[in-house]
Amino acid sequence: MKILSIETSCDETSAAVIEKVNGKLPTILSSKIASSSNLHAVTGGIIPEQAAREQIQYIIPIILQALLASQKEELTNSDLIGANLASAFKESNKILAESIDAIAVTQGPGLIGSLLVGVETAKTLAYTFNKPIIPVNHLLAHLYANFIDSTMNSVPLTTNNKSEAILFPFIGLIVSGGHTDLLYFEDHGTYKWIGGTRDDAAGEALDKIGRVLGLPYPAGPEIEKKAQNVTSSPIKFSRPLMHSDDLDFSFSGLKTEVARFIQKKGKFSEQELSEVCFAVQDAVADILVHKTLKATKAYNCNTILLGGGVSANEYLRNAFQSSIINNQLSINFFYPEKKFTTDNAAMIGAYAALNYYPVDWNEIKASPELHLK
Ligand code: KG4
Ligand code: ZN
């Protein structure tokens, strides 16, 4: 089965073609992403209206590129104008009609304008080409980036058998710009929300701290780069809720603490900036690792899956690995390939392939507030 998947929940516009063969993990035939993050870097954050306007321009070219690339044909920008565009349309219509079995799309959560671009496009294609449509929860899809065949990474790697079965049951930690949630997953579709942030998401906190430090948006990767200039830091920020009885998080205090620290300090050198970034990353990683390991104990579960933009962070991945190894825990720790940690359509297709519940084209609606169960 081949699925065309579409993701437009925030500032990325992405389309992918995923193939699912019985008994195997989904594989990616093509994956294309256009981002408007350079525009948001100028404003220091996303302006929803601007993001959606960009997505309206990108959505069709990205879908054409994904469809053609799934047949090993790469489109250049000049293929997307004039007479060339007409021929690209003709070819991609043929691929859609003849070799795509279903369309998957992010239904929510996300920005309403952005979601509408993807959902309405997917509905139109599903109706026109008479294909089933699968609505996908963006947050769950972040964890499913781990189920893409080529991306399956695990430490310690206890088996070469890359099958979906080895992943269940698992504790899923979603760490993105908008969310920080812990889930206990028993099987596909059977999960329980067991904890989450009471205020800012981890990525949101990093982005806000970046603004305080004068770093461009999105600040998560910038903080990581700066922190890599040092191997330790004399600064230690507090770890709110780290030892609370529940599985909740709180990151907004960290932003206030960093802001106060900077205000008190006045001017700071490049070395001090790196040390602040190191200390921020260390606090965030420490809290995330601590609470996730606590969840594995509470739910007697020995597998962890990481997902979401912040899971691209090497320091966080290493913190998980060393904590597992140093404490001699027999836990399998999975994280997605870097390019599938931030928003992408491949993870939407992977989720839909493994949770195949199509609906009629007119039953799907963009849902900005779509929640976890
Ligand atoms: O999952 P994502 O692309 O979008 C949402 O669904 O929110 O996550 C974006 C978030 C941003 O807050 C960004 O700063 C953060 O992920 N991020 C990182 C890294 N790469 C992206 N945070 C820390 N280290 C990174 N390398
Ligand atoms: Zn996301």
Side-chain angles (χ1 to χ4, degrees), residues 228-271:
Q228 278 162 354
N229 295 331
V230 292
T231 51
S232 64
S233 173
I235 310 155
K236 189 162 177 176
F237 294 118
S238 53
R239 276 108 164 105
L241 293 192
M242 188 155 102
H243 297 291
S244 65
D245 288 340
D246 52 29
L247 294 169
D248 284 351
F249 302 93
S250 168
F251 291 106
S252 70
L254 188 58
K255 172 198 66 201
T256 317
E257 209 180 333
V258 175
R260 282 215 191 100
F261 180 86
I262 295 298
Q263 209 175 20
K264 216 167 138 194
K265 189 128 197 84
K267 273 193 168 171
F268 50 89
S269 65
E270 193 54 33
Q271 166 81 12

Short mmCIF file of all heavy atoms in Angstrom, two decimals, residues 228-271:
data_model
loop_
_atom_site.label_atom_id
_atom_site.label_comp_id
_atom_site.label_asym_id
_atom_site.label_seq_id
_atom_site.Cartn_x
_atom_site.Cartn_y
_atom_site.Cartn_z
N GLN A 228 27.79 23.56 22.61
CA GLN A 228 28.86 22.64 22.17
C GLN A 228 30.25 23.27 22.26
O GLN A 228 31.25 22.59 22.14
CB GLN A 228 28.58 22.15 20.74
CG GLN A 228 27.60 21.00 20.72
CD GLN A 228 26.97 20.75 19.37
OE1 GLN A 228 27.16 21.52 18.43
NE2 GLN A 228 26.19 19.68 19.26
N ASN A 229 30.31 24.60 22.50
CA ASN A 229 31.61 25.27 22.64
C ASN A 229 32.26 24.99 23.98
O ASN A 229 33.42 25.33 24.18
CB ASN A 229 31.45 26.79 22.48
CG ASN A 229 30.99 27.17 21.10
OD1 ASN A 229 31.28 26.47 20.14
ND2 ASN A 229 30.25 28.27 20.99
N VAL A 230 31.50 24.45 24.92
CA VAL A 230 32.06 24.15 26.25
C VAL A 230 31.71 22.71 26.64
O VAL A 230 30.80 22.11 26.06
CB VAL A 230 31.52 25.13 27.33
CG1 VAL A 230 32.04 26.55 27.11
CG2 VAL A 230 30.00 25.12 27.39
N THR A 231 32.45 22.18 27.61
CA THR A 231 32.16 20.80 28.02
C THR A 231 31.51 20.74 29.40
O THR A 231 31.09 19.68 29.87
CB THR A 231 33.44 19.94 28.04
OG1 THR A 231 34.42 20.66 28.80
CG2 THR A 231 33.97 19.69 26.65
N SER A 232 31.46 21.89 30.07
CA SER A 232 30.76 21.96 31.36
C SER A 232 30.41 23.43 31.61
O SER A 232 30.80 24.30 30.83
CB SER A 232 31.64 21.43 32.49
OG SER A 232 32.77 22.28 32.61
N SER A 233 29.71 23.67 32.72
CA SER A 233 29.34 25.06 33.03
C SER A 233 29.35 25.28 34.54
O SER A 233 28.89 24.41 35.28
CB SER A 233 27.96 25.35 32.46
OG SER A 233 27.52 26.61 32.88
N PRO A 234 29.87 26.44 34.98
CA PRO A 234 29.83 26.72 36.42
C PRO A 234 28.42 27.11 36.88
O PRO A 234 28.15 27.16 38.08
CB PRO A 234 30.78 27.92 36.57
CG PRO A 234 30.81 28.56 35.22
CD PRO A 234 30.52 27.51 34.21
N ILE A 235 27.52 27.35 35.91
CA ILE A 235 26.15 27.77 36.25
C ILE A 235 25.27 26.54 36.39
O ILE A 235 25.37 25.59 35.60
CB ILE A 235 25.57 28.68 35.13
CG1 ILE A 235 26.55 29.79 34.78
CG2 ILE A 235 24.21 29.25 35.49
CD1 ILE A 235 26.39 30.33 33.37
N LYS A 236 24.37 26.56 37.38
CA LYS A 236 23.39 25.46 37.47
C LYS A 236 22.01 26.07 37.70
O LYS A 236 21.79 26.75 38.71
CB LYS A 236 23.77 24.50 38.59
CG LYS A 236 22.91 23.26 38.55
CD LYS A 236 23.45 22.08 39.30
CE LYS A 236 22.42 20.97 39.20
NZ LYS A 236 22.76 19.76 39.75
N PHE A 237 21.12 25.89 36.75
CA PHE A 237 19.75 26.38 36.91
C PHE A 237 18.91 25.32 37.63
O PHE A 237 19.25 24.14 37.61
CB PHE A 237 19.14 26.72 35.55
CG PHE A 237 19.82 27.89 34.88
CD1 PHE A 237 20.45 27.74 33.65
CD2 PHE A 237 19.84 29.15 35.49
CE1 PHE A 237 21.09 28.81 33.03
CE2 PHE A 237 20.47 30.22 34.88
CZ PHE A 237 21.10 30.06 33.65
N SER A 238 17.82 25.80 38.26
CA SER A 238 17.01 24.86 39.05
C SER A 238 16.21 23.91 38.13
O SER A 238 16.07 24.16 36.93
CB SER A 238 16.11 25.60 40.00
OG SER A 238 15.38 26.55 39.29
N ARG A 239 15.70 22.86 38.74
CA ARG A 239 14.97 21.83 37.98
C ARG A 239 13.56 21.71 38.56
O ARG A 239 13.29 20.80 39.36
CB ARG A 239 15.69 20.47 38.10
CG ARG A 239 16.84 20.29 37.11
CD ARG A 239 18.17 20.38 37.81
NE ARG A 239 19.26 19.85 36.99
CZ ARG A 239 20.17 20.63 36.37
NH1 ARG A 239 20.11 21.95 36.45
NH2 ARG A 239 21.13 20.07 35.66
N PRO A 240 12.65 22.61 38.16
CA PRO A 240 11.30 22.60 38.75
C PRO A 240 10.59 21.26 38.53
O PRO A 240 10.71 20.65 37.46
CB PRO A 240 10.57 23.71 37.99
CG PRO A 240 11.63 24.52 37.34
CD PRO A 240 12.81 23.64 37.15
N LEU A 241 9.88 20.81 39.54
CA LEU A 241 9.06 19.58 39.52
C LEU A 241 9.84 18.29 39.29
O LEU A 241 9.24 17.23 39.18
CB LEU A 241 7.94 19.66 38.46
CG LEU A 241 6.82 20.67 38.65
CD1 LEU A 241 5.70 20.37 37.65
CD2 LEU A 241 6.24 20.63 40.04
N MET A 242 11.19 18.38 39.23
CA MET A 242 11.94 17.17 38.89
C MET A 242 11.68 16.04 39.90
O MET A 242 11.62 14.87 39.52
CB MET A 242 13.44 17.44 38.81
CG MET A 242 14.20 16.26 38.27
SD MET A 242 15.73 16.69 37.51
CE MET A 242 16.89 16.26 38.76
N HIS A 243 11.50 16.41 41.15
CA HIS A 243 11.30 15.36 42.16
C HIS A 243 9.85 15.28 42.66
O HIS A 243 9.60 14.71 43.71
CB HIS A 243 12.29 15.57 43.31
CG HIS A 243 13.72 15.44 42.84
ND1 HIS A 243 14.26 14.23 42.46
CD2 HIS A 243 14.68 16.37 42.64
CE1 HIS A 243 15.51 14.43 42.05
NE2 HIS A 243 15.78 15.71 42.15
N SER A 244 8.92 15.85 41.89
CA SER A 244 7.52 15.77 42.31
C SER A 244 7.03 14.33 42.15
O SER A 244 7.59 13.55 41.38
CB SER A 244 6.65 16.72 41.48
OG SER A 244 6.64 16.31 40.13
N ASP A 245 5.95 14.00 42.85
CA ASP A 245 5.45 12.62 42.82
C ASP A 245 4.81 12.24 41.48
O ASP A 245 4.72 11.07 41.15
CB ASP A 245 4.39 12.43 43.92
CG ASP A 245 5.06 12.40 45.29
OD1 ASP A 245 6.28 12.16 45.33
OD2 ASP A 245 4.36 12.64 46.30
N ASP A 246 4.34 13.25 40.77
CA ASP A 246 3.63 12.96 39.51
C ASP A 246 4.62 12.90 38.34
O ASP A 246 5.83 12.94 38.52
CB ASP A 246 2.57 14.03 39.26
CG ASP A 246 3.16 15.42 39.36
OD1 ASP A 246 4.37 15.56 39.07
OD2 ASP A 246 2.45 16.37 39.75
N LEU A 247 4.07 12.84 37.12
CA LEU A 247 4.93 12.79 35.93
C LEU A 247 4.80 14.09 35.12
O LEU A 247 4.93 14.10 33.91
CB LEU A 247 4.56 11.57 35.08
CG LEU A 247 4.86 10.22 35.76
CD1 LEU A 247 4.23 9.06 34.99
CD2 LEU A 247 6.36 10.00 35.91
N ASP A 248 4.54 15.19 35.85
CA ASP A 248 4.38 16.48 35.19
C ASP A 248 5.70 17.24 35.07
O ASP A 248 6.68 16.92 35.73
CB ASP A 248 3.37 17.33 35.97
CG ASP A 248 1.94 16.87 35.72
OD1 ASP A 248 1.75 16.01 34.83
OD2 ASP A 248 1.03 17.35 36.40
N PHE A 249 5.66 18.24 34.19
CA PHE A 249 6.83 19.08 33.95
C PHE A 249 6.45 20.55 34.13
O PHE A 249 5.27 20.92 34.04
CB PHE A 249 7.33 18.93 32.51
CG PHE A 249 7.69 17.53 32.12
CD1 PHE A 249 6.76 16.69 31.51
CD2 PHE A 249 8.97 17.05 32.35
CE1 PHE A 249 7.10 15.40 31.13
CE2 PHE A 249 9.32 15.76 31.97
CZ PHE A 249 8.38 14.93 31.37
N SER A 250 7.46 21.39 34.35
CA SER A 250 7.24 22.84 34.35
C SER A 250 8.52 23.50 33.85
O SER A 250 9.59 23.28 34.41
CB SER A 250 6.94 23.32 35.77
OG SER A 250 7.02 24.73 35.81
N PHE A 251 8.40 24.25 32.76
CA PHE A 251 9.60 24.86 32.17
C PHE A 251 9.58 26.39 32.17
O PHE A 251 10.57 27.02 31.81
CB PHE A 251 9.81 24.35 30.74
CG PHE A 251 10.20 22.89 30.68
CD1 PHE A 251 9.28 21.93 30.26
CD2 PHE A 251 11.46 22.48 31.07
CE1 PHE A 251 9.63 20.59 30.22
CE2 PHE A 251 11.82 21.14 31.04
CZ PHE A 251 10.90 20.19 30.61
N SER A 252 8.43 26.99 32.55
CA SER A 252 8.38 28.45 32.42
C SER A 252 9.29 29.15 33.42
O SER A 252 9.81 30.23 33.15
CB SER A 252 6.94 28.96 32.53
OG SER A 252 6.50 28.81 33.85
N GLY A 253 9.53 28.51 34.59
CA GLY A 253 10.39 29.11 35.61
C GLY A 253 11.84 29.22 35.14
O GLY A 253 12.57 30.15 35.52
N LEU A 254 12.23 28.29 34.27
CA LEU A 254 13.60 28.28 33.76
C LEU A 254 13.87 29.55 32.94
O LEU A 254 14.93 30.18 33.07
CB LEU A 254 13.79 27.02 32.90
CG LEU A 254 15.20 26.71 32.42
CD1 LEU A 254 16.17 26.55 33.58
CD2 LEU A 254 15.20 25.43 31.58
N LYS A 255 12.88 29.91 32.14
CA LYS A 255 13.01 31.13 31.31
C LYS A 255 13.19 32.35 32.21
O LYS A 255 14.06 33.20 31.98
CB LYS A 255 11.75 31.27 30.44
CG LYS A 255 11.64 32.55 29.69
CD LYS A 255 10.21 32.78 29.23
CE LYS A 255 9.29 32.99 30.40
NZ LYS A 255 7.87 32.74 30.13
N THR A 256 12.38 32.43 33.28
CA THR A 256 12.46 33.56 34.22
C THR A 256 13.83 33.56 34.90
O THR A 256 14.45 34.63 35.05
CB THR A 256 11.34 33.42 35.30
OG1 THR A 256 10.15 33.03 34.62
CG2 THR A 256 11.13 34.70 36.04
N GLU A 257 14.29 32.38 35.28
CA GLU A 257 15.59 32.28 35.97
C GLU A 257 16.73 32.76 35.05
O GLU A 257 17.60 33.51 35.48
CB GLU A 257 15.81 30.82 36.37
CG GLU A 257 16.66 30.68 37.62
CD GLU A 257 16.87 29.21 37.99
OE1 GLU A 257 16.02 28.37 37.66
OE2 GLU A 257 17.90 28.93 38.61
N VAL A 258 16.68 32.33 33.79
CA VAL A 258 17.72 32.75 32.84
C VAL A 258 17.64 34.26 32.62
O VAL A 258 18.66 34.96 32.62
CB VAL A 258 17.60 31.99 31.49
CG1 VAL A 258 18.61 32.50 30.48
CG2 VAL A 258 17.78 30.50 31.71
N ALA A 259 16.41 34.78 32.48
CA ALA A 259 16.24 36.22 32.25
C ALA A 259 16.82 37.02 33.41
O ALA A 259 17.53 38.02 33.21
CB ALA A 259 14.76 36.54 32.06
N ARG A 260 16.54 36.55 34.64
CA ARG A 260 17.07 37.25 35.84
C ARG A 260 18.60 37.19 35.86
O ARG A 260 19.27 38.17 36.17
CB ARG A 260 16.54 36.58 37.11
CG ARG A 260 15.14 37.00 37.38
CD ARG A 260 14.88 37.12 38.90
NE ARG A 260 13.46 37.27 39.08
CZ ARG A 260 12.65 36.28 39.43
NH1 ARG A 260 13.13 35.09 39.71
NH2 ARG A 260 11.35 36.49 39.54
N PHE A 261 19.12 36.03 35.52
CA PHE A 261 20.58 35.82 35.53
C PHE A 261 21.25 36.79 34.56
O PHE A 261 22.25 37.45 34.88
CB PHE A 261 20.87 34.36 35.14
CG PHE A 261 22.33 34.02 35.11
CD1 PHE A 261 22.99 33.60 36.27
CD2 PHE A 261 23.07 34.12 33.93
CE1 PHE A 261 24.34 33.29 36.24
CE2 PHE A 261 24.42 33.82 33.90
CZ PHE A 261 25.06 33.40 35.05
N ILE A 262 20.67 36.91 33.38
CA ILE A 262 21.23 37.78 32.33
C ILE A 262 21.13 39.25 32.75
O ILE A 262 22.07 40.03 32.57
CB ILE A 262 20.47 37.54 30.99
CG1 ILE A 262 20.71 36.11 30.50
CG2 ILE A 262 20.84 38.54 29.92
CD1 ILE A 262 22.14 35.77 30.18
N GLN A 263 19.98 39.59 33.33
CA GLN A 263 19.74 40.98 33.76
C GLN A 263 20.78 41.39 34.82
O GLN A 263 21.36 42.47 34.76
CB GLN A 263 18.35 41.06 34.36
CG GLN A 263 17.72 42.42 34.20
CD GLN A 263 16.28 42.37 34.72
OE1 GLN A 263 15.92 41.48 35.49
NE2 GLN A 263 15.49 43.32 34.28
N LYS A 264 21.02 40.46 35.75
CA LYS A 264 21.96 40.72 36.84
C LYS A 264 23.39 40.85 36.30
O LYS A 264 24.17 41.68 36.76
CB LYS A 264 21.89 39.54 37.83
CG LYS A 264 22.05 39.96 39.27
CD LYS A 264 21.65 38.83 40.17
CE LYS A 264 22.62 38.71 41.32
NZ LYS A 264 22.48 37.44 42.03
N LYS A 265 23.67 40.04 35.33
CA LYS A 265 25.03 39.98 34.78
C LYS A 265 25.34 41.20 33.92
O LYS A 265 26.48 41.64 33.83
CB LYS A 265 25.14 38.69 33.95
CG LYS A 265 26.50 38.37 33.50
CD LYS A 265 26.89 36.94 33.86
CE LYS A 265 28.38 36.72 33.77
NZ LYS A 265 29.11 37.11 34.94
N GLY A 266 24.32 41.75 33.26
CA GLY A 266 24.56 42.85 32.32
C GLY A 266 25.20 42.29 31.07
O GLY A 266 24.61 41.47 30.38
N LYS A 267 26.44 42.68 30.80
CA LYS A 267 27.14 42.19 29.59
C LYS A 267 27.70 40.79 29.83
O LYS A 267 28.09 40.46 30.95
CB LYS A 267 28.30 43.12 29.26
CG LYS A 267 27.90 44.29 28.40
CD LYS A 267 29.14 44.97 27.86
CE LYS A 267 28.76 45.95 26.77
NZ LYS A 267 29.87 46.76 26.37
N PHE A 268 27.72 39.97 28.79
CA PHE A 268 28.37 38.66 28.96
C PHE A 268 29.18 38.31 27.73
O PHE A 268 28.86 38.71 26.60
CB PHE A 268 27.37 37.55 29.32
CG PHE A 268 26.17 37.47 28.41
CD1 PHE A 268 26.22 36.68 27.28
CD2 PHE A 268 25.01 38.17 28.72
CE1 PHE A 268 25.11 36.59 26.46
CE2 PHE A 268 23.90 38.08 27.90
CZ PHE A 268 23.95 37.29 26.76
N SER A 269 30.27 37.56 27.99
CA SER A 269 31.18 37.20 26.89
C SER A 269 30.59 36.01 26.12
O SER A 269 29.64 35.37 26.57
CB SER A 269 32.53 36.80 27.47
OG SER A 269 32.36 35.62 28.24
N GLU A 270 31.22 35.72 24.99
CA GLU A 270 30.81 34.58 24.16
C GLU A 270 30.94 33.27 24.97
O GLU A 270 30.07 32.40 24.90
CB GLU A 270 31.71 34.56 22.91
CG GLU A 270 31.28 33.67 21.78
CD GLU A 270 29.85 33.87 21.25
OE1 GLU A 270 29.31 35.01 21.25
OE2 GLU A 270 29.26 32.86 20.85
N GLN A 271 32.03 33.19 25.78
CA GLN A 271 32.25 32.01 26.64
C GLN A 271 31.10 31.86 27.65
O GLN A 271 30.56 30.78 27.85
CB GLN A 271 33.61 32.19 27.37
CG GLN A 271 33.86 31.26 28.55
CD GLN A 271 34.36 29.87 28.10
OE1 GLN A 271 34.72 29.68 26.94
NE2 GLN A 271 34.35 28.91 29.01
#
